[in-house]
Amino acid sequence: MQSANMFLKKIVRSSVLSFAAQHGMKKDLFPLSRTLSLSLCLKQDNLCSPSEKLDLDAWKKVMKSGLQGEVSETVSERKEPDTLAAAREMLEMWRLAGKSVPENITEEQLKTFMECTSKSAQKKYLKYLHLKELHKKNDKRKMEEKRERRLEAQEQASETGVTKKNSFICLWANCMDKVCNWRAAQSMVFGQPLVFDMSFEKDMSVREVANTVRQIVLSESTNRRSIDPFHIHFCNFKDDSLYHKEFIKHYREAWGKLLITVTDQCYTEVFPKDKLIYLTADSPRVMKTFDHNKIYIVGSMVDRNIKTGVSLARAKRLGLETAALPLEKYLLWNTGAKNLTLDQMMHILLTLKDTGDWQKALEFVPKRKYRGFVNKPVHELKKTLSLINTLKLGKRQEEVRKQFAMNYSEKQTQK
């Protein structure tokens, strides 16, 4: 029996260690082979009778299949970090070569870079990260310069005795923040709801989602500082989404302290359908007055490619009423899309809620998009413009006829 055990140990070591040496795992698998050989020998000593024969070929196949499974698992675990390290080295080479590549890149950004389908998409994504990093550096530099100027101003003020005024301004700002927070808390109980539809993440790129979140942050601060704020609802909001990550970047620890309602439910499950109005520029129905009993929905989307009809199609699918702002009725609109940013929409809705005056509300539309306000109704202006055009065309036709008759008579006399 001892000679059989020694023979079995030699087979185990030769088979396992040869396989480990081929894959560079000799040190890791040596104790494993030793324990396996000892355990098998003990089992054979306890269970096998002297008359039974040991099937060594079957045992070798079992051992090799088990080791191949373990090695494949370890190779698959090591493969992903190796590819990430190779991609990181390649990006470092590109950066040293003078291409627009960020200096610091996270693992998530590296994975998204590797998931890009084409080289042009990879270059665009790297350029976006590079510009974003430059903007962050510039902002940091400006903040440091501002801090230095503030410290210098404080030193000068301490010499001249203006510190009392600065302390009063700080106290006033803290009091105003408390008042704004109190109004926002009251709006959560008594205020009119305003819904932001957060279901457009699939229709946007990473950059467009970041711009959308930036505009929503501006909208929330504008709403909080208003006299009668809305009760903001983020509907269809999912945890660990791009929206969520961007909000945490902006708010950090204050994200859980915002006086808003965040839910993963659809607005049709939270509010009755007959009170919902979806505001979209593609709607055929024009909004005439602001209704304080309705709940307005704004699509949380920044569309640089101008995919028309996305929010309108969603509203029709849910069977909701839609409305568009009366821009052509009050503004002499230039050529271009009638899409506004989310913070501009917030300014317009708050002004309409407080005053009900369209002219005051539409002052928040960018000046580059229109030539001025309309003094007369639009249908009268169209009539006058069509009349002027017909008169011009009529005059032109008479002049052409006279010129043609003169030329024709001259040709006849020459013949």
Side-chain angles (χ1 to χ4, degrees):
M1 183 60 69
Q2 290 180 356
S3 61
N5 289 339
M6 293 295 291
F7 181 65
L8 184 60
K9 287 180 184 178
K10 288 180 182 179
I11 291 172
V12 171
R13 287 178 182 175
S14 61
S15 60
V16 174
L17 294 177
S18 62
F19 184 81
Q22 290 177 4
H23 292 83
M25 300 168 61
K26 189 172 181 181
K27 292 181 179 179
D28 297 331
L29 292 179
F30 182 79
L32 177 64
S33 63
R34 186 177 179 184
T35 53
L36 284 172
S37 61
L38 289 172
S39 61
L40 286 170
C41 291
L42 289 171
K43 286 182 180 178
Q44 291 295 330
D45 290 336
N46 294 329
L47 298 175
C48 296
S49 61
S51 60
E52 290 178 350
K53 291 183 178 179
L54 184 66
D55 192 359
L56 295 176
D57 295 331
W59 181 81
K60 282 183 183 180
K61 289 179 182 178
V62 172
M63 287 296 298
K64 284 184 179 180
S65 63
L67 286 170
Q68 284 176 359
E70 290 179 359
V71 170
S72 63
E73 287 179 1
T74 55
V75 168
S76 63
E77 287 176 358
R78 292 179 183 176
K79 187 177 180 181
E80 189 174 358
D82 291 342
T83 53
L84 290 175
R88 198 179 288 277
E89 288 179 0
M90 183 182 68
L91 292 179
E92 186 64 23
M93 290 172 63
W94 286 3
R95 190 180 67 80
L96 293 173
K99 294 184 179 181
S100 55
V101 177
E103 294 181 2
N104 300 317
I105 186 167
T106 61
E107 288 188 2
E108 293 180 1
Q109 293 172 350
L110 202 60
K111 286 178 182 178
T112 52
F113 166 75
M114 294 172 66
E115 289 172 0
C116 291
T117 55
S118 61
K119 287 186 178 179
S120 61
Q122 289 179 350
K123 288 180 180 178
K124 287 180 181 177
Y125 182 67
L126 289 175
K127 189 176 180 181
Y128 161 67
L129 292 178
H130 179 62
L131 292 174
K132 190 175 179 182
E133 191 177 51
L134 288 178
H135 287 310
K136 280 186 178 179
K137 286 182 179 178
N138 289 331
D139 292 339
K140 190 175 180 181
R141 179 179 56 79
K142 288 177 182 177
M143 289 293 289
E144 288 177 355
E145 290 177 356
K146 190 176 179 181
R147 183 172 171 274
E148 289 176 359
R149 287 198 300 268
R150 189 172 64 247
L151 290 172
E152 290 177 0
Q154 286 178 359
E155 289 176 359
Q156 292 177 0
S158 62
E159 293 176 359
T160 56
V162 193
T163 52
K164 292 182 180 179
K165 186 177 179 181
N166 292 333
S167 61
F168 175 74
I169 291 170
C170 293
L171 182 63
W172 177 258
N174 291 331
C175 292
M176 288 304 296
D177 284 338
K178 289 180 181 178
V179 170
C180 292
N181 290 332
W182 174 248
R183 286 175 183 168
Q186 280 187 327
S187 70
M188 293 187 72
V189 182
F190 306 106
Q192 183 179 359
L194 178 67
V195 178
F196 282 93
D197 187 3
M198 314 295 287
S199 62
F200 296 100
E201 184 178 331
K202 295 180 181 178
D203 300 319
M204 293 185 291
S205 62
V206 179
R207 186 178 181 182
E208 288 172 346
V209 171
N211 290 335
T212 304
V213 170
R214 196 178 298 115
Q215 293 178 14
I216 293 174
V217 170
L218 292 174
S219 303
E220 188 273 330
S221 64
T222 303
N223 179 67
R224 190 170 55 87
R225 290 194 304 269
S226 65
I227 298 171
D228 186 12
F230 288 103
H231 178 196
I232 295 176
H233 287 72
F234 289 168
C235 292
N236 297 316
F237 189 90
K238 296 179 180 178
D239 292 335
D240 297 330
S241 60
L242 283 176
Y243 285 117
H244 190 201
K245 292 175 183 176
E246 290 294 329
F247 275 121
I248 289 173
K249 284 181 186 177
H250 280 277
Y251 287 109
R252 296 181 182 176
E253 296 177 356
W255 167 246
K257 300 176 184 178
L258 290 178
L259 297 171
I260 58 174
T261 300
V262 181
T263 178
D264 58 348
Q265 293 181 333
C266 186
Y267 29 84
T268 54
E269 300 173 2
V270 181
F271 304 104
K273 275 189 178 182
D274 55 347
K275 287 191 174 183
L276 295 173
I277 297 178
Y278 209 113
L279 296 177
T280 171
D282 304 318
S283 175
R285 182 179 174 273
V286 179
M287 182 178 173
K288 295 180 180 178
T289 56
F290 184 87
D291 194 347
H292 294 269
N293 296 320
K294 296 288 185 179
I295 299 167
Y296 292 98
I297 306 168
V298 180
S300 301
M301 180 173 59
V302 171
D303 190 7
R304 291 186 176 275
N305 299 321
I306 310 176
K307 300 173 185 175
T308 56
V310 177
S311 54
L312 181 63
R314 180 167 179 77
K316 283 185 176 180
R317 245 188 341 263
L318 296 171
L320 300 177
E321 185 181 351
T322 60
L325 297 180
L327 300 176
E328 289 186 348
K329 185 178 179 181
Y330 293 96
L331 300 175
L332 294 169
W333 197 261
N334 290 329
T335 57
K338 296 179 178 63
N339 296 327
L340 301 175
T341 60
L342 299 176
D343 52 326
Q344 291 166 5
M345 285 292 296
M346 178 62 79
H347 280 292
I348 290 169
L349 292 174
L350 285 170
T351 309
L352 282 175
K353 185 182 179 184
D354 295 337
T355 61
D357 189 355
W358 279 106
Q359 192 162 358
K360 285 184 179 178
L362 295 179
E363 286 178 356
F364 293 99
V365 178
K367 304 291 182 184
R368 67 180 183 277
K369 292 194 173 186
Y370 64 94
R371 295 188 297 276
F373 281 90
V374 175
N375 295 324
K376 294 182 180 180
V378 176
H379 64 276
E380 291 185 8
L381 280 174
K382 286 182 178 179
K383 283 182 181 178
T384 53
L385 287 172
S386 62
L387 182 61
I388 290 166
N389 290 328
T390 51
L391 288 172
K392 283 182 179 178
L393 288 172
K395 260 188 172 180
R396 181 77 180 176
Q397 285 177 1
E398 289 177 2
E399 288 176 0
V400 169
R401 284 175 186 173
K402 286 179 182 179
Q403 190 69 30
F404 177 76
M406 288 173 64
N407 293 335
Y408 183 75
S409 61
E410 286 176 2
K411 286 178 182 179
Q412 290 293 330
T413 53
Q414 286 177 3
K415 288 180 180 180

